[in-house]
Amino acid sequence: LVELLAIVDATEEQVQAMLAADESLSSKLSVESGHILLRQPGSDIETARKAAEEEGRRRQRALANVEAAKAFARLLSNEATFVAVAGTNSYLSAAESDDIDFYCITRTNGMWMFMLKSLILSRISSLARETDKPFCFSFVLDERQAMQELSRPKDALFARDTLTAKVI
């Protein structure tokens, strides 16, 4: 927000104080835990604060899931030409029940061997890991298929998933 407002030498705290001091703005928004929260009619600051805290927990959970995915992806490096984390973890907003979605491209004609190895290693890994977050191979293609599939028009959700994927 400091950068968007182009306020020279202002800290986040100063911007937050300026927003709070303006009656018109402070009636419509607040800043909590680094997030700008829009106040809905009938909402209260405690509800907004709890929402910001939950979003912070979701972000930390997603970052931990991305790290778990990175550790697992090292086992897949020979078969895959591209590995990323997609879905709620790439949006940095993972719920406790969310799995870890992989977005993978393998060498041409290597997808099925990649999947076999990935699923076996995933099962072994789930027994060894402290977390119970399952790995989900939600988008896996080989290079030839990827060139064909990714050249076709896609919907907005596919675009969002692709653009926010965390490459590992």
Side-chain angles (χ1 to χ4, degrees):
L1 185 60
V2 170
E3 291 174 11
L4 286 173
L5 294 174
I7 301 171
V8 180
D9 297 327
T11 65
E12 289 181 28
E13 292 76 20
Q14 290 169 323
V15 172
Q16 184 174 351
M18 286 186 280
L19 294 173
D22 184 303
E23 284 185 39
S24 175
L25 287 174
S26 64
S27 69
K28 296 180 176 99
L29 58 89
S30 64
V31 180
E32 296 290 333
S33 303
H35 297 283
I36 296 175
L37 305 173
L38 297 177
R39 294 187 182 180
Q40 300 299 322
S43 70
D44 61 271
I45 194 70
E46 186 58 31
T47 302
R49 183 174 288 117
K50 287 180 182 176
E53 289 171 357
E54 174 59 19
E55 193 54 39
R57 286 189 293 273
R58 292 174 72 95
R59 180 180 178 77
Q60 290 306 313
R61 192 177 302 121
L63 290 170
N65 288 346
V66 170
E67 288 304 313
K70 283 180 183 178
F72 181 73
R74 289 186 195 106
L75 302 172
L76 308 175
S77 61
N78 291 338
E79 286 78 21
T81 59
F82 177 85
V83 178
V85 173
T88 58
N89 290 295
S90 68
Y91 308 154
L92 299 180
S93 185
E96 273 194 58
S97 60
D98 288 348
D99 56 14
I100 300 173
D101 293 306
F102 280 92
Y103 186 119
C104 305
I105 299 175
T106 70
R107 290 176 181 21
T108 298
N109 298 323
M111 183 182 73
W112 292 112
M113 284 305 296
F114 171 84
M115 286 303 301
L116 176 64
K117 180 179 177 180
S118 298
L119 293 173
I120 291 170
L121 289 173
S122 175
R123 181 67 178 138
I124 293 168
S125 177
S126 70
L127 297 172
R129 286 182 293 139
E130 295 176 9
T131 180
D132 62 347
K133 302 297 176 228
F135 293 133
C136 176
F137 298 90
S138 56
F139 187 85
V140 180
L141 297 173
D142 74 14
E143 289 173 317
R144 186 182 66 243
Q145 293 168 320
M147 293 298 288
Q148 293 169 352
E149 183 64 24
L150 298 176
S151 65
R152 295 184 195 138
K154 302 288 179 226
D155 63 15
L157 179 59
F158 185 87
R160 179 184 182 201
D161 279 347
T162 302
L163 292 171
T164 60
K166 302 287 184 220
V167 178
I168 55 174

